[in-house]
């Protein structure tokens, strides 16, 4: 069973998303922001990290940079609805920083699961 670290500051979305991944057969650990996500990954590396980009404490782009520098083998999917950076294409920036896939919120459950399977190589 593949393990996934889900980093999302919206508690309701995080809970719903984690449940969908669990029901699909993944071992899911969750974090509420980039700082928690980095700590979780250091404590228990996951096969895949799915991170929101706009979060308090440490944003997803900062987390992607950290992971690329310190754990270049990490597989990362970035997601965002734009938020306060609606005029910037943060998903393109995330891909340039090393995300292997991106999801624009809102997205369908099937779209998310297909991308997870593809990035994990399943």
């Amino acid at each position: 069973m593949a393990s996934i670290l889900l980093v999302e500051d919206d508690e309701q979305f995080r809970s719903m998303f984690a449940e969908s991944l669990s029901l699909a057969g993944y071992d899911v650990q969750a974090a509420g922001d980039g700082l928690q996500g980095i700590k979780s990954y250091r404590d228990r590396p996951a096969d895949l990290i799915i991170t929101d980009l706009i979060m308090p404490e440490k944003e997803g782009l900062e987390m992607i940079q950290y992971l690329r520098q310190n754990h270049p083998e990490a597989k990362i999917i970035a997601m965002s609805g734009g938020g306060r950076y609606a005029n910037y294409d943060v998903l393109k920036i995330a891909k340039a920083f090393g995300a292997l896939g991106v999801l624009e919120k809102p997205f369908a459950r099937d779209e998310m699961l297909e991308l997870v399977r593809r990035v994990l190589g399943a």
Side-chain angles (χ1 to χ4, degrees):
M1 170 186 329
S3 61
I4 297 176
L5 171 58
L6 172 62
V7 185
E8 166 64 56
D9 62 318
D10 182 306
E11 188 175 337
Q12 186 176 18
F13 186 78
R14 184 175 64 240
S15 176
M16 179 185 67
F17 195 13
E19 183 177 345
S20 291
L21 290 165
S22 292
L23 290 172
Y26 297 103
D27 175 27
V28 181
Q29 56 181 321
D33 62 48
L35 283 177
Q36 291 175 8
I38 288 170
K39 182 182 180 325
S40 292
Y41 189 81
R42 282 193 312 240
D43 292 347
R44 183 176 160 218
D47 298 313
L48 174 65
I49 301 104
I50 303 174
T51 184
D52 190 15
L53 294 178
I54 313 303
M55 298 180 289
E57 297 303 319
K58 185 175 280 293
E59 293 190 346
L61 291 174
E62 294 172 296
M63 187 173 148
I64 292 169
Q65 287 179 307
Y66 169 85
L67 289 167
R68 281 291 156 250
Q69 290 171 356
N70 297 283
H71 304 279
E73 75 288 353
K75 294 180 179 179
I76 304 166
I77 293 175
M79 59 184 172
S80 181
R84 64 182 175 261
Y85 297 111
N87 293 332
Y88 302 101
D89 199 339
V90 292
L91 292 173
K92 282 185 181 176
I93 296 168
K95 283 195 92 162
F97 282 9
L100 300 175
V102 295
L103 291 165
E104 184 173 355
K105 294 178 185 176
F107 51 81
R109 178 183 180 274
D110 290 343
E111 177 186 5
M112 176 261 302
L113 291 174
E114 175 58 33
L115 181 58
V116 166
R117 282 189 288 272
R118 192 179 77 220
V119 170
L120 285 172

